[in-house]
Amino acid sequence: SPAGIYVSVAREHVLLDAGPGTLQRLHEAGAPFQALDRIFLTHFHLDHCLDLASILFALRLPDLKRRKPLTVYGPPGLVRLYRRLNTAFHGWLSPRGFKVRFVEVQDAMLRLPGYAVRSIRMHHGPTRAVGYRLTAGGRSLAYSGDTDVCRCVAELGRKAEVLILECSVTDERKVKGHLTPSDCGWIAAEAGCRRLVLTHFYPVFAGYDIRKRVRRHFRGSLTLARDFASFRL
């Protein structure tokens, strides 16, 4: 499925990106979408944000009786995106019975209840994009979203327990604004993360040895993500 990562941290329910199908996947995984406290969007390409609309619409269901607020974070343009979506859907994304707050971030540090989130600008071509690092109890989870190789993504994952990187194309078919397996291996080695998790695989990887290319640079724990994979930090 497209990008959508659920995180339970310090009594809060958090979602990193909301690509198409994320709402259904949350339900299938037993993750309480109706209890979400915060959604962090890395950028506004459809495969990372389309189900924001589905989630906002679903939270209007009368039986949920939601009262607690929802906060949505993303790079500059987030507020405009929401307003245009809500207009396109004739106001059906407006909250009912609770408040939604939209916060635009670039390079920022957020102090939240029991944990902190750092956002750092990524290099995804002309698209404004950010990665996020969640830290609680001295342990960190970092997620790049879409990006090309840059020092900022290595800094994002510095000494993290888990670093989740997009890995879209093969080394031989490098595309500007995305990472290859060798790119991911170099970043993980530079960051010194404990576990590297790769996701966002395009069909070009059929029959391709991703691990072999990553191992050119990185010797730590490596996971090629599948839907419903879970990790405890």
Side-chain angles (χ1 to χ4, degrees):
S1 290
I5 301 167
Y6 167 75
V7 183
S8 175
V9 54
R11 298 185 180 181
E12 287 206 341
H13 304 278
V14 173
L15 184 63
L16 306 178
D17 275 338
T22 296
L23 177 62
Q24 181 66 26
R25 289 304 205 197
L26 285 171
H27 175 73
E28 292 172 356
F33 86 88
Q34 68 276 12
L36 285 173
D37 294 283
R38 305 177 198 275
I39 299 174
F40 293 87
L41 300 179
T42 59
H43 63 292
F44 307 136
H45 287 164
L46 296 182
D47 56 333
H48 290 257
C49 74
L50 189 60
D51 253 22
L52 173 64
S54 300
I55 292 169
L56 292 175
F57 182 69
L59 289 177
R60 289 171 50 92
L61 291 171
D63 290 349
L64 294 183
K65 299 179 180 179
R66 184 183 176 99
R67 293 293 180 266
K68 71 176 179 177
L70 173 69
T71 306
V72 183
Y73 303 83
L78 175 64
V79 173
R80 182 176 60 182
L81 173 71
Y82 167 70
R83 288 174 177 169
R84 289 182 172 181
L85 283 173
N86 201 24
T87 297
F89 290 113
H90 306 289
W92 285 98
L93 304 186
S94 298
R96 181 164 57 187
F98 66 99
K99 293 183 178 180
V100 176
R101 186 167 68 108
F102 295 90
V103 180
E104 297 185 350
V105 296
Q106 294 191 80
D107 297 311
M109 178 63 76
L110 307 171
R111 303 292 181 182
L112 302 174
Y115 67 108
V117 177
R118 182 184 179 190
S119 62
I120 301 179
R121 281 179 284 185
M122 298 288 105
H123 290 188
H124 190 36
T127 302
R128 288 178 172 177
V130 295
Y132 297 102
R133 179 185 178 102
L134 283 66
T135 302
R139 298 189 175 190
S140 295
L141 164 70
Y143 170 53
S144 69
D146 287 358
T147 186
D148 209 326
V149 178
C150 57
R151 288 286 175 182
C152 49
V153 70
E155 180 62 26
L156 183 79
R158 186 78 60 199
K159 304 300 181 182
E161 272 65 38
V162 175
L163 172 59
I164 304 174
L165 294 180
E166 67 114 317
C167 185
S168 297
V169 290
T170 65
D171 291 347
E172 295 79 9
R173 298 179 66 174
K174 170 73 176 178
V175 173
K176 186 176 181 180
H178 285 290
L179 299 177
T180 71
S182 291
D183 291 338
C184 293
W186 180 88
I187 291 167
E190 182 71 13
C193 64
R194 294 186 61 183
R195 178 191 292 269
L196 173 63
V197 178
L198 300 185
T199 186
H200 205 275
F201 305 118
Y202 283 2
V204 295
F205 281 118
Y208 191 86
D209 193 340
I210 296 174
R211 292 179 179 275
K212 181 179 179 180
R213 301 304 179 96
V214 174
R215 291 303 188 200
R216 291 177 176 178
H217 303 283
F218 181 67
R219 295 295 177 180
S221 178
L222 172 63
T223 299
L224 306 186
R226 294 177 178 272
D227 287 359
F228 307 115
S230 63
F231 305 91
R232 182 178 294 274
L233 278 65

